[in-house]
Amino acid sequence: MPIPESALIAERLHSALATPEAVADLRRYFGINLGQDERPFTGSRFEHLAGGGDGPSAADMVTADDLIAVQMLSVTLPAQACLDLLEGRLGEELSALLSRIPADVDMAAADATELSPGSPADTAWHLLTDQHGIGWVTAGKLLARKRPRLLPVYDQVVRCLLGRPTSFWLSLHTALRADEGALHQALLTLRQTACVPETVSALRVCDVVLWMRHHAEHREADCVPR
């Protein structure tokens, strides 16, 4: 009998979190206890730049700060898409959807309907990817900036390690809720052990641990998603 996709993701995540490098990688990424000549990764500013994308004054709109923040994760949006998000109809439509996506709920605590096909979050992702040349990785990172507790970063590096399930959001959601939320709690414990600020979501801890573990190898090797 095939192993459920969520179980495979949970297994791979538990394995990544249990490595001795996980704490050191988090500290290195976020600039905690660095040496005099070391610098944190630019991605450490992704959630914190200008107070964050989910702050009360900006949670339901895309701002210029959001567009700069996604660049901290090595992606850019086409110029026309940026203008449409800031001044045009695309921004208006996305704002309407963001107003229906909770900003104060962790994925592990959310109902699956918040992530299912046809949900405001799913509709927002399709709105971004269906026009203006915005790729699936960039769309996901922009939404993760706006809803860091609910929506994860999912790029080629993470996909290489966790695979390509039918629905990454729903599979990760199931994995985080399994065993009374053991995986979600492990992420919070790892965050605390590494002294990473609580303003960094459990999902972002997950992303950083995976990315730090594999990004260099992923660049050098011809990786194929599992």
Side-chain angles (χ1 to χ4, degrees):
M1 184 174 180
I3 300 175
E5 292 173 332
S6 60
L8 287 173
I9 286 178
E11 178 183 337
R12 291 167 184 169
L13 278 176
H14 278 297
S15 176
L17 299 179
T19 62
E21 295 83 13
V23 170
D25 283 344
L26 278 173
R27 289 175 174 167
R28 173 74 183 90
Y29 188 91
F30 287 102
I32 299 168
N33 298 330
L34 292 184
Q36 184 175 0
D37 297 327
E38 294 180 297
R39 292 180 180 274
F41 284 74
T42 57
S44 65
R45 297 296 299 153
F46 173 68
E47 49 273 293
H48 295 134
L49 183 70
D54 57 342
S57 63
D60 295 340
M61 67 179 73
V62 172
T63 68
D65 294 318
D66 295 325
L67 302 181
I68 295 172
V70 297
Q71 294 185 50
M72 303 300 100
L73 299 187
S74 303
V75 296
T76 57
L77 284 87
Q80 186 59 54
C82 291
L83 291 175
D84 285 346
L85 284 166
L86 295 175
E87 302 176 346
R89 184 173 179 179
L90 180 59
E92 294 174 359
E93 293 178 354
L94 185 58
S95 291
L97 290 167
L98 287 171
S99 69
R100 298 166 56 198
I101 305 172
D104 58 352
V105 178
D106 288 313
M107 176 181 269
D111 191 272
T113 57
E114 299 285 359
L115 306 163
S116 299
S119 66
D122 177 72
T123 303
W125 187 87
H126 283 285
L127 175 67
L128 291 170
T129 57
D130 287 347
Q131 55 188 297
H132 299 306
I134 301 175
W136 63 274
V137 172
T138 303
K141 289 180 177 180
L142 180 59
L143 292 177
R145 161 77 178 177
K146 302 310 298 179
R147 295 295 182 268
R149 296 174 60 180
L150 180 66
L151 303 177
V153 171
Y154 182 53
D155 60 10
Q156 292 92 339
V157 176
V158 175
R159 186 177 69 178
C160 192
L161 287 175
L162 297 186
R164 190 186 302 193
T166 305
S167 169
F168 179 69
W169 288 359
L170 289 175
S171 294
L172 181 59
H173 175 260
T174 300
L176 289 169
R177 291 170 65 90
D179 300 322
E180 299 183 346
L183 182 56
H184 178 72
Q185 187 57 51
L187 289 166
L188 297 182
T189 299
L190 184 60
R191 182 179 70 184
Q192 182 179 27
T193 302
C195 300
V196 172
E198 292 185 2
T199 47
V200 176
S201 70
L203 290 181
R204 187 75 171 108
V205 170
C206 176
D207 167 50
V208 170
V209 169
L210 294 174
W211 189 84
M212 289 291 285
R213 175 180 176 180
H214 188 56
H215 74 100
E217 179 184 352
H218 184 85
R219 263 199 319 265
E220 296 168 2
D222 185 17
C223 286
V224 178
R226 302 183 187 188

